[in-house]
Amino acid sequence: MRISDAFHHKPLLIAYICAGDPSPAATPELVKRISEAGADIIELGLPHSDPVADGPTIQESSQRAIVAGMNTDTYFEVVSAAKVEIPKIFMGYYNMIYARGLEKFASDCARSGINGVIVPDLPPEEAEPLKIACQNHGVDLIFLAAPNTPQHRLERIVDQTSGFLYLVARPGVTGVRSDLLDDTKNLIARVPDGIPKAVGFGISTPEQAAEIVSAGADAVIVGSACVDLIAKGKLAELEDLIRKMKLAIEIAEKRKIPTVC
Amino acid sequence: MSGQIVYDINTKFGKYGGRFVPETLRQPLEELASAYEHLKHNDKFLSEYDFFLRDFAGRPTPLYFAKSLSRELGRKIYLKREDLVHGGAHKLNNTLGQALVAKQMGKTRLIAETGAGQHGVATAIVGACLSFETQVYMGEVDIERQKMNVFRMELLGADVIPVRSGSRTLKDAINEAFRDWSANYENTHYLLGTAAGPHPFPTMVRDFQSIIGKETREQILRAEGRLPDSIVACVGGGSNAIGIYAPFLQDKVELIAVEAGGQGIGKTNKTAENGASLNCGTNGILHGALTKILQDPYGQILESYSIAAGLDYPGVGPELAYLAEMGRVQPTMADDKIALKGFKALSQLEGIIPALESAHAVGYTLDSPEILGDLAIINISGRGDKDLATVMAHENF
Ligand SMILES: Cc1ncc(COP(=O)(O)O)c(C=O)c1O
């Protein structure tokens, strides 16, 4: 399924896991369970030695995956083996892509059923070559915007992104946090119409997810909370979290007061 | 020698440099770049910087004719004495400049990374002198190796925050500082310690360190009536090197960059046995810039190695990567043994104990005097007191 098709049935729950944690062999089954529990898109992180946008949870997960033998070759094998209906998205740092070669990377993505690519340390200003490679292979390149992104730049990013726009919920790095800022809601409101908005970074509870959807997001991304439960081996709780978050955002969507045009 | 050196005044040196950073860091970098762009032409700012360089840091530092070393090598050798800068290394030139920029920007807190502890100490010094709250990220491994500098930083009122992620060394301390900055940029300046990282750091750090080269140029012209044939500097991230090279880029002066050869050039799976990114590295992205880095074929960053903690870094500033590619800078290496030889030689010949980092530059001249020409300058980037325990622990010394 293409990412844009997935957004026909809003709101979406996007789950992130680090591929290869706890082991490369375990990843396809995990993806399947997360999909069956109700996630609409799965983001698969390629672990990097220096994940500068990530907090301790994903750092440690990346480290475990690398030790468990994850590299870019195994990544694409594992992702190909994860046969699910929902879109799969690559998430990883630019040096890993650069080292592989942009064209080879994009074609590997297409071959292993990856529909979109998120690169947290690649701003639009540096992204032209990867964008061309992704376009050649029909893969969306998804850009990020943050609460401190100025409006003129936000509009440029919206022009560049494809699939959806990833809104970073808060300053700082990924990780579970309890507070949600007004800035996040402002950011959602600042995005021009016409592009689906997915909010991530620090969202871990059904309540937060509902709040984000009520504020106008089309999708919620949950990462560290999933990674944390996988680290603890609590897979039943992981499925439960996915189910509850999905339910929470669906209720929030229904409760939205229809605006009169 | 090569063609004209041309810079894209935006963010790059040829294809090197740039700003490969998470979106949240974009705005803090923009604000820093525009504040710096404005201040570097501001007379009041410049005279304040000059004042602190002179009365606090102790500049200008001498360019000293090394008589015995000259005799030993059969040519004239001068030493640029950055070991005499307050704090014991060139690092303060940069921390003073950046701290004054941070003051103007209204920041109240400084964060920094440190490997050897020299940059951490230089940041702690300006933090105390200019009244900032100061926190220094330092890998657990380095904290163990450099206990004395940890104590110095704490004495100066800074908090040292142990970094337990990744290889628990300098590169991870930089990651941690960027993470902190992305959450706290509103009141915090990230005082990066070398001419690496995303724009504007490589440019700004080079400018603040180029005081070394400006003084050197005047001093050598006064002493010898001509420019030197060569300038030798050690390279970790590249700040002391680019600082002394900068005013000579358009001249017929050989610029020799000595990287840490460590224990050799073999690369195992996870570690490079050296810190020689210009010599052994390949193009890649580390800490926000495209540059030469030590990495595995998949793009995982390797752990570097050097006896000198300040050269123990798997990347290098983008400007040096560019100048090396253009053929304007000659990348070379000195391994641990040669560095120890340089350490001992300068101590005994000249009565100057160099930092182990600077000892790489000295050692290189002992090993390859021919390429120096008749008149050479070695940048003694720091003094060696911090390294005595390391050197004592080394066998066969
Ligand atoms: C005395 C000294 N020289 C050189 C270096 C290397 O840094 P750079 O290459 O930025 O000059 C360090 C770093 O800690 C240092 O302490």
Side-chain angles (χ1 to χ4, degrees):
Chain A
M1 195 195 299
R2 289 191 56 87
I3 293 171
S4 52
D5 295 334
F7 275 95
H8 289 148
H9 310 280
K10 295 185 292 195
L12 305 190
L13 182 65
I14 304 178
Y16 167 94
I17 64 170
C18 175
D21 179 30
S23 71
T27 300
E29 176 64 19
L30 266 175
V31 172
K32 200 160 148 261
R33 286 177 74 165
I34 289 169
S35 162
E36 282 165 5
D40 301 291
I41 293 181
I42 180 94
E43 259 182 47
L44 288 142
L46 170 62
H48 184 41
S49 54
D50 293 71
V52 79
D54 288 302
T57 306
I58 293 177
Q59 286 173 38
E60 284 159 22
S61 169
S62 304
Q63 206 57 43
R64 282 193 300 270
I66 292 170
V67 171
M70 202 60 180
N71 61 39
T72 317
D73 295 327
T74 11
Y75 177 88
F76 285 115
E77 285 165 24
V78 162
V79 171
S80 304
K83 303 232 181 294
V84 285
E85 289 299 306
I86 60 175
K88 294 183 282 191
I89 291 181
F90 167 98
M91 173 123 178
Y93 289 86
Y94 191 49
N95 194 50
M96 301 293 288
I97 298 172
Y98 189 85
R100 193 157 192 87
L102 309 188
E103 184 57 32
K104 181 159 193 285
F105 169 79
S107 96
D108 286 340
C109 282
R111 266 195 306 108
S112 40
I114 286 173
N115 308 87
V117 169
I118 301 172
V119 191
D121 62 342
L122 185 68
E125 289 79 0
E126 306 283 0
E128 197 55 28
L130 181 60
K131 199 173 165 199
I132 293 166
C134 284
Q135 277 168 353
N136 289 343
H137 294 276
V139 175
D140 287 324
L141 181 55
I142 297 150
F143 286 105
L144 300 91
N148 64 356
T149 304
Q151 193 62 25
H152 59 92
R153 185 174 159 78
L154 179 61
E155 282 161 22
R156 258 221 325 273
I157 295 173
V158 168
D159 281 343
Q160 293 295 315
T161 198
S162 69
F164 61 87
L165 178 66
Y166 190 133
L167 298 177
V168 174
R170 64 188 75 241
V173 292
T174 57
V176 171
R177 258 159 292 181
S178 54
D179 56 319
L180 265 186
L181 305 172
D182 288 343
D183 282 358
T184 313
K185 295 180 185 170
N186 289 340
L187 175 60
I188 296 170
R190 287 202 285 130
V191 178
D193 289 337
I195 186 79
K197 306 176 277 274
V199 178
F201 272 48
I203 295 162
S204 59
T205 66
E207 294 72 30
Q208 289 173 327
E211 209 181 328
I212 293 285
V213 167
S214 305
D218 304 297
V220 171
I221 303 167
V222 55
S224 295
C226 297
V227 170
D228 192 41
L229 291 171
I230 293 168
K232 293 177 178 144
K234 296 181 173 170
L235 301 190
E237 277 181 44
L238 172 65
E239 288 166 324
D240 199 43
L241 176 72
I242 302 274
R243 271 193 294 268
K244 284 188 174 137
M245 287 193 117
K246 187 66 195 284
L247 189 64
I249 60 175
E250 279 170 350
I251 293 171
E253 179 76 15
K254 288 206 190 91
R255 284 207 186 126
K256 271 192 201 164
I257 301 148
T259 43
V260 188
C261 295
Chain B
M1 213 163 296
S2 55
Q4 186 81 356
I5 308 295
V6 230
Y7 288 144
D8 166 4
I9 35 154
N10 294 323
T11 65
K12 293 204 173 152
F13 309 95
K15 65 171 173 285
Y16 296 105
R19 274 182 183 161
F20 296 86
V21 294
E23 179 62 23
T24 310
L25 284 174
R26 184 80 195 183
Q27 196 56 19
L29 288 168
E30 293 279 6
E31 284 168 15
L32 179 60
S34 81
Y36 174 64
E37 248 343 278
H38 166 72
L39 289 170
K40 77 179 190 192
H41 304 295
N42 179 303
D43 288 339
K44 194 157 158 281
F45 173 83
L46 293 174
S47 72
E48 197 179 15
Y49 180 49
D50 281 347
F51 164 78
F52 279 103
L53 285 180
R54 188 183 64 237
D55 287 1
F56 187 69
R59 304 206 70 94
T61 60
L63 182 71
Y64 176 69
F65 177 62
K67 207 162 122 209
S68 307
L69 185 61
S70 296
R71 196 179 321 115
E72 185 83 9
L73 297 182
R75 58 209 76 221
K76 282 188 165 172
I77 309 284
Y78 281 80
L79 308 176
K80 181 58 175 167
R81 299 289 310 276
E82 293 301 293
D83 58 310
L84 295 177
V85 176
H86 176 42
H90 69 292
K91 298 286 175 186
L92 195 68
N93 304 330
N94 170 46
T95 57
L96 271 174
Q98 285 197 46
L100 291 171
V101 171
K103 263 275 158 290
Q104 291 297 321
M105 293 178 77
K107 310 288 178 188
T108 56
R109 176 174 174 259
L110 298 177
I111 55 172
E113 81 295 342
T114 199
Q118 286 307 103
H119 173 59
V121 167
T123 305
I125 289 173
V126 296
C129 166
L130 298 169
S131 310
F132 286 96
E133 178 195 343
T134 306
Q135 298 192 311
V136 180
Y137 287 95
M138 188 168 187
E140 265 186 343
V141 172
D142 292 328
I143 288 182
E144 205 43 51
R145 289 196 277 202
Q146 300 284 343
K147 289 213 174 86
M148 215 40 131
N149 270 342
V150 173
F151 182 68
R152 284 169 89 193
M153 287 183 265
E154 286 171 349
L155 184 62
L156 290 158
D159 292 324
V160 177
I161 306 175
V163 175
R164 302 196 171 86
S165 56
S167 60
R168 295 176 295 136
T169 60
L170 177 60
K171 82 173 173 67
D172 309 282
I174 297 177
N175 292 336
E176 215 47 60
F178 274 121
R179 291 181 187 119
D180 179 321
W181 201 33
S182 71
N184 301 304
Y185 56 85
E186 280 185 12
N187 71 351
T188 300
H189 174 66
Y190 175 20
L191 210 165
L192 187 64
T194 190
H199 178 76
F201 286 110
T203 307
M204 183 171 62
V205 176
R206 178 251 280 142
D207 290 352
F208 287 133
Q209 290 294 1
S210 66
I211 184 71
I212 307 173
K214 281 180 208 144
E215 289 175 7
T216 300
R217 199 182 164 94
E218 280 176 26
Q219 289 165 323
I220 196 71
L221 286 174
R222 209 179 312 129
E224 294 287 336
R226 72 164 178 110
L227 294 179
D229 297 317
S230 60
I231 299 176
V232 187
C234 69
V235 173
S239 69
N240 86 87
I242 196 69
I244 194 166
Y245 298 160
F248 296 92
L249 287 178
Q250 310 291 351
D251 300 309
K252 208 174 163 308
V253 176
E254 195 80 45
L255 304 174
I256 300 167
V258 187
E259 294 194 305
Q263 294 178 326
I265 55 171
K267 263 185 259 174
T268 61
N269 223 358
K270 276 196 72 194
T271 38
E273 272 110 49
N274 57 63
S277 321
L278 290 173
N279 285 279
C280 306
T282 49
N283 288 351
I285 293 96
L286 177 63
H287 297 139
L290 176 65
T291 185
K292 294 280 183 200
I293 63 177
L294 302 174
Q295 57 183 333
D296 79 5
Y298 293 106
Q300 305 290 17
I301 311 304
L302 295 172
E303 291 171 27
S304 51
Y305 165 79
S306 168
I307 190 175
L311 305 185
D312 194 349
Y313 178 58
V316 64
E319 187 166 8
L320 282 182
Y322 169 68
L323 292 171
E325 187 171 273
M326 294 290 288
R328 181 64 193 93
V329 162
Q330 304 308 323
T332 60
M333 284 186 277
D335 64 17
D336 285 3
K337 273 206 203 90
I338 297 174
L340 285 166
K341 191 165 122 188
F343 189 83
K344 198 168 177 178
L346 201 71
S347 301
Q348 298 182 350
L349 288 170
E350 299 294 344
I352 296 169
I353 303 175
L356 270 175
E357 290 79 10
S358 328
H360 283 72
V362 178
Y364 180 78
T365 64
L366 297 173
D367 246 40
S368 317
E370 331 71 55
I371 88 164
L372 301 176
D374 296 329
L375 177 59
I377 294 170
I378 309 174
N379 196 14
I380 306 299
S381 56
R383 67 169 186 235
D385 308 50
K386 69 180 175 60
D387 297 314
L388 297 182
T390 308
V391 174
M392 278 166 72
H394 240 262
E395 292 176 281
N396 314 326
F397 187 71

